[in-house]
């Protein structure tokens, strides 16, 4: 079985209009992939930037996969939320990116989007907070049914991901 | 070779904690330690250290320089649990007590060569204004009893709810958030050599 190590950090997020952000992340893989060690999803702490507008999480990611096929190459997906001083959480953006396929260290910048509702919902979001959210999280990383959505841009999630591959040459895959 | 025996590889890390930028704080020292998985063990060098106390330079750079050496070698059979270096920066507050100014962590680089990393630092903060004032006044800020939690992925959201591990006045169980006050830059040279046991 070929093995993939994904080791890195979710560095932080920039470009969001809200401060006090946290991120729920997860990794989605195809059926041929098996997670040998590590946690498949998690949530960062809430960060309030004091200097500049980038919220830093430095959240470590360490995953070890074994796979029998290339289909379903891992995808990291994110939900960025903001928390206000009353403890309420509001969605700031959804985003996903594929894990790189060449070994080494990669800097990834993942853009995010959030669903816009009707003009009434947008007005309510501006004053009271809240706003529409996705019912099914898999729309974040899959293309099916996206045509139904009308979205607006959020900020960018920054990652530094290192990739180590093992035994791919035994299966005739060059990387 | 027909069967693959588990091969041991070594990771040698040389470098230094170079300097820091903390616009609001002065007279800081830093501590480093390594966090690694179960398959890893240090074979040589020091895995923890405390630096000197440094003050900001008088010139326009306002640099806080430690130039503090890091020299450690790990051995492992599995990349899972790749070592992370955890840095904690401490300094005096207005009343002279030693308080934490930031925590940060980064993975040791994967590829051999010279790497410079700038690590953002963050500090736990209470959201209750009363607790913020009392901790400022008494000099007992929320801090981690074990800085190694900074390198872990699980339980970070739990920091928002439980003040259990935090050394703070337990007046109000409050939600702790983290605010980022500064950056530390680290120069790390990593070289990785593979040593496979000879087949019998």
């Amino acid at each position: 079985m070929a093995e993939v190590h994904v080791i890195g950090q979710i560095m932080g997020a920039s470009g969001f209009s809200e401060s006090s952000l946290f991120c729920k992340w997860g990794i989605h893989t195809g059926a041929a992939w098996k997670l040998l060690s590590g946690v498949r999803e998690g949530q960062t702490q809430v960060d309030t930037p004091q200097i500049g507008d980038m919220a830093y999480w430095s959240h470590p990611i360490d995953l070890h996969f074994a796979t029998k096929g290339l289909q379903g190459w891992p995808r990291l997906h994110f939900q960025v939320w903001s928390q206000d001083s009353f403890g309420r959480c509001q969605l700031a953006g959804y985003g996903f990116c594929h894990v790189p396929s060449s070994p080494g260290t990669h800097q990834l910048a993942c853009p995010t989007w959030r669903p816009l509702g009707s003009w009434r919902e947008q007005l309510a979001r501006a004053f009271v907070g809240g706003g529409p959210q996705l019912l099914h999280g898999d729309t974040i990383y899959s293309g099916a049914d996206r045509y139904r959505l009308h979205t607006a841009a959020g900020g960018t999630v920054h990652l530094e991901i290192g990739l180590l591959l093992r035994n791919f040459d035994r299966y005739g895959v060059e990387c | 070779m027909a069967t693959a025996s588990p091969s041991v590889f070594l990771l040698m890390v040389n470098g230094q904690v170079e300097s820091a930028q903390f616009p609001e704080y002065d007279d800081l020292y830093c501590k480093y330690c390594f966090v690694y998985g179960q398959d890893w063990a240090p074979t040589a060098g020091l895995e923890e250290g405390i630096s000197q106390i440094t003050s900001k330079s008088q010139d326009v750079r306002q640099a806080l320089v430690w130039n503090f050496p890091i020299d450690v070698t790990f051995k492992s059979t599995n990349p899972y649990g790749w070592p992370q270096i955890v840095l904690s920066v401490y300094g005096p507050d207005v009343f002279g007590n030693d308080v934490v100014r930031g925590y940060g962590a980064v993975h040791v680089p994967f590829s051999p060569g010279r790497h410079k990393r700038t690590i953002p630092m963050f500090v736990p903060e209470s959201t209750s204004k009363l607790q913020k004032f009392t901790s400022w006044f008494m000099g007992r800020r929320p801090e981690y009893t074990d800085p190694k939690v900074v390198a872990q992925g699980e339980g970070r959201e739990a920091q928002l709810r439980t003040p259990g591990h935090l050394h703070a006045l337990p007046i109000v169980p409050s939600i702790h958030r983290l605010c980022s006050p500064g950056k530390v830059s680290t120069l790390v040279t990593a070289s990785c050599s593979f040593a496979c046991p000879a087949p019998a």
Side-chain angles (χ1 to χ4, degrees):
Chain A
M1 301 253 274
E3 291 170 33
V4 175
H5 288 268
V6 180
I7 303 174
Q9 279 188 343
I10 307 178
M11 308 269 293
S14 65
F16 284 93
S17 50
E18 303 94 335
S19 63
S20 295
L21 299 169
F22 67 96
C23 172
K24 292 195 204 190
W25 67 273
I27 193 157
H28 177 261
T29 54
W33 293 73
K34 193 167 130 191
L35 183 66
L36 297 178
S37 332
V39 279
R40 200 178 263 275
E41 57 188 15
Q43 187 175 313
T44 69
Q45 74 272 18
V46 179
D47 188 60
T48 313
Q50 308 278 68
I51 304 169
D53 83 325
M54 178 143 172
Y56 286 100
W57 298 311
S58 299
H59 188 95
I61 295 182
D62 198 336
L63 297 160
H64 183 191
F65 289 102
T67 181
K68 293 187 244 183
L70 290 177
Q71 299 306 313
W73 192 269
R75 281 176 267 202
L76 281 159
H77 58 263
F78 310 102
Q79 298 180 26
V80 182
W81 294 75
S82 72
Q83 186 181 59
D84 64 9
S85 49
F86 301 109
R88 301 177 306 167
C89 299
Q90 179 169 296
L91 179 73
Y94 293 116
F96 95 98
C97 60
H98 280 94
V99 166
S101 47
S102 55
T105 315
H106 306 266
Q107 308 283 339
L108 302 172
C110 171
T112 59
W113 50 271
R114 63 177 173 82
L116 281 179
S118 61
W119 66 268
R120 261 188 260 261
E121 285 168 345
Q122 290 176 44
L123 203 59
R125 186 178 195 270
F127 283 103
V128 174
Q133 299 166 23
L134 289 176
L135 268 183
H136 301 290
D138 54 353
T139 313
I140 304 173
Y141 46 82
S142 92
D145 286 345
R146 282 274 190 110
Y147 65 90
R148 294 171 200 267
L149 286 174
H150 183 198
T151 64
T156 313
V157 177
H158 299 274
L159 303 143
E160 189 179 294
I161 294 285
L163 205 72
L164 294 169
L165 303 174
R166 190 160 178 254
N167 292 337
F168 272 77
D169 45 352
R170 267 195 223 161
Y171 296 90
V173 177
E174 188 184 303
C175 39
Chain B
M1 276 178 275
T3 50
S5 46
S7 53
V8 175
F9 62 92
L10 298 173
L11 176 67
M12 181 177 81
V13 183
N14 296 327
Q16 51 172 300
V17 181
E18 211 176 64
S19 62
Q21 282 175 332
F22 277 86
E24 295 175 6
Y25 306 122
D26 202 356
D27 294 328
L28 302 173
Y29 68 93
C30 89
K31 292 197 210 180
Y32 77 85
C33 63
F34 283 91
V35 172
Y36 41 85
Q38 285 176 324
D39 295 319
W40 291 79
T43 55
L46 298 168
E47 56 168 310
E48 286 186 337
I50 304 185
S51 75
Q52 75 275 19
I53 300 178
T54 184
S55 302
K56 278 191 184 145
S57 57
Q58 299 299 321
D59 53 21
V60 74
R61 289 177 310 159
Q62 297 274 288
L64 287 149
V65 170
W66 288 303
N67 192 243
F68 184 51
I70 298 173
D71 199 341
V72 64
T73 305
F74 291 98
K75 100 178 153 182
S76 174
T77 53
N78 184 2
Y80 178 70
W82 195 273
Q84 296 179 59
I85 182 168
V86 174
L87 289 163
S88 336
V89 176
Y90 298 87
D93 68 357
V94 148
F95 302 105
N97 306 305
D98 224 10
V99 294
V100 66
R101 292 304 186 197
Y103 296 104
V106 75
H107 283 283
V108 167
F110 308 108
S111 47
R114 198 162 181 271
H115 307 265
K116 184 157 172 164
R117 291 277 181 273
T118 304
I119 305 169
M121 308 293 282
F122 51 78
V123 80
E125 156 189 286
S126 13
T127 50
S128 143
K129 291 198 171 29
L130 174 65
Q131 192 161 13
K132 266 194 221 174
F133 173 73
T134 39
S135 56
W136 172 83
F137 188 64
M138 303 289 286
R140 291 174 60 183
R141 308 285 168 108
E143 72 179 77
Y144 297 122
T145 49
D146 182 7
K148 295 188 178 185
V149 300
V150 170
Q152 284 160 14
E154 297 121 61
R156 284 196 171 201
E157 74 279 1
Q159 295 164 8
L160 306 181
R161 302 279 174 263
T162 29
H165 289 302
L166 301 173
H167 175 232
L169 288 178
I171 297 175
V172 171
S174 60
I175 299 172
H176 293 275
R177 293 136 59 121
L178 285 89
C179 62
S180 20
K183 291 188 190 207
V184 172
S185 78
T186 313
L187 178 65
V188 182
T189 314
S191 74
C192 186
S193 73
F194 287 77
C196 298

